[in-house]
Amino acid sequence: MATGYRRLVEQAQRVWLARGLERQAAVLGPVACDLATNDYLGLRYHPRLIQAGHRALSDYGASASSSRVVSGTLPVHRELEEALADLLGAEAALVFASGYAANLGLLAALSRPNTLLVMDEHVHASLHDAARLGQGQVRFFEHNNLVQAEQILAASSHAVKLLVVEGIYSVLGDSADLVACSELALRYDALLVVDEAHSIGVRGAGRGLVAEFGLAGSEHIAVTLSFGKALASQGGAVLANAGIRDYLVNSARSFIFDTALSPVNAATALESIRLIREEGQPLSAEVLVCAQLISGQLGLEPAAGAVQSLPIRQGSGCARQIQERLASRGLAVGCFRPPAVPDGIARLRLTAQAGLDSQVLQRALDLVGEEVAL
């Protein structure tokens, strides 16, 4: 990147980060730190995303106003699908109105009476719901226990098998062993489904864990993702071989019967992808450095991505009280409580982000330490 252009980019970044911090300060108070957000790359106030959204609003209006299969597929949807496939190294992509809808559409469409879904018990609620909507048999294995997953696959006589995991899990923040998962899927002629909602933008220089481990474009892997995290937009997608994409266009109910993704959200997601292609390595590196600071300060096991999970053994009530006390002191953190968590343990969830001021982050972590120690 030319020096002059680099200088302009850095100036724009300072302006957008300052603007974001000012808005957080207005909402959160004196500490003004949001460690609950999923905006991992800090892009939601980026001027290029805002400008892309304004252009799309002017070009296409506020809504697609139709299902994708009627008249709702706009040029920006096709551009977004091409950019996603290129970024993640997939043969084809299909954009849905949300990440939730993408998971529902993929699993429910593929889950027929002769199908077995073998799922990690910690996968996202949308994947659990999708499994219930399908017609196949569903078996869960203990979190990251691939020995148990293999036993289930080996005992199956189903014609179609799916192995379903997440790249990075949204509660614990740990990751699946995708290389071992891929080998297991190949061994038992299964389709490996990887939800990369929390790894896109953060791992693999922004391209996700499937790409990081050299598995991008594999015929036996389908990736789902959400635009509501690192891409700082809204929507979701399935990335797979062209045959699966064509099948979903004609079979995925959450695609066929839903209004298409807003052109504004499609355009902002597309601009995020362009930024990741240009700046993915330094942005994702910032996230991971921030994550190491959080885990080190709080004595946590280092997580695989942005999500840092702090168990509160005293229970849900205590976790909620800590969250509220932190909010009153200007710090937003997430709070996951039963029954929404897969293992019944209440947690504070802190998310690392690119662009966080180190002094603000340090003060925020000091506040967490003080409140948890009470």
Side-chain angles (χ1 to χ4, degrees), residues 18 65 70 96 162 171 174 209 211 228 231 296 314 319 342:
S65 299
V70 182
F96 288 73
L162 278 68
V171 175
D174 58 346
L209 277 173
L231 298 189
Q314 299 92 326

Side-chain angles (χ1 to χ4, degrees), residues 65-336:
S65 299
S66 177
S67 165
R68 290 282 306 271
V69 299
V70 182
S71 62
T73 294
L74 304 171
V76 69
H77 294 126
R78 298 196 186 280
E79 287 182 66
L80 177 56
E81 288 171 345
E82 290 173 4
L84 281 167
D86 183 58
L87 179 69
L88 274 72
E91 184 177 3
L94 186 65
V95 165
F96 288 73
S98 70
Y100 205 108
N103 279 337
L104 287 182
L106 177 65
L107 287 201
L110 294 179
S111 183
R112 299 303 184 188
N114 64 345
T115 303
L116 173 67
L117 286 80
V118 183
M119 303 174 65
D120 189 297
E121 64 184 6
H122 279 210
V123 294
H124 191 262
S126 58
L127 293 164
H128 284 259
D129 292 350
R132 293 188 186 100
L133 288 174
Q135 302 174 58
Q137 182 183 3
V138 183
R139 295 285 305 278
F140 290 97
F141 60 92
E142 293 175 357
H143 181 49
N144 276 340
N145 186 341
L146 295 185
V147 172
Q148 190 177 77
E150 178 164 18
Q151 290 170 347
I152 297 169
L153 287 166
S156 168
S157 59
H158 291 76
V160 178
K161 305 179 187 71
L162 278 68
L163 176 61
V164 184
V165 300
E166 290 191 47
I168 295 176
Y169 288 89
S170 60
V171 175
L172 296 185
D174 58 346
S175 63
D177 184 343
L178 292 187
V179 172
C181 288
S182 173
E183 293 170 352
L184 186 59
L186 282 171
R187 191 151 59 244
Y188 292 95
D189 194 25
L191 177 71
L192 174 61
V193 176
V194 183
D195 185 335
E196 289 242 56
H198 296 277
S199 42
I200 183 74
V202 175
R203 294 292 299 267
R207 298 174 62 213
L209 277 173
V210 170
E212 180 175 319
F213 289 115
L215 301 170
S218 299
E219 188 79 7
H220 68 292
I221 296 178
V223 170
T224 65
L225 54 88
S226 165
F227 306 157
K229 277 75 176 176
L231 298 189
S233 183
Q234 186 169 332
V238 174
L239 293 101
N241 62 62
I244 289 178
R245 185 192 187 279
D246 290 344
Y247 178 75
L248 293 178
V249 168
N250 296 289
S251 305
R253 296 173 68 84
S254 62
F255 177 83
I256 298 167
F257 298 106
D258 197 7
T259 300
L261 177 67
S262 156
V264 175
N265 291 130
T268 52
L270 176 58
E271 196 61 35
S272 286
I273 290 167
R274 290 169 176 158
L275 279 165
I276 289 172
R277 290 200 67 86
E278 296 168 16
E279 300 287 337
Q281 183 67 49
L283 284 173
S284 61
E286 278 191 50
V287 178
L288 296 176
V289 167
C290 180
Q292 290 170 357
L293 288 172
I294 294 171
S295 61
Q297 176 83 10
L298 299 179
L300 302 174
E301 191 73 26
V307 175
Q308 310 293 304
S309 182
L310 177 60
I312 305 298
R313 303 290 178 183
Q314 299 92 326
S316 297
C318 181
R320 181 63 176 163
Q321 289 169 9
I322 295 171
Q323 182 192 37
E324 291 173 351
R325 291 199 302 267
L326 288 170
S328 72
R329 301 177 73 178
L331 173 59
V333 299
C335 181
F336 283 11

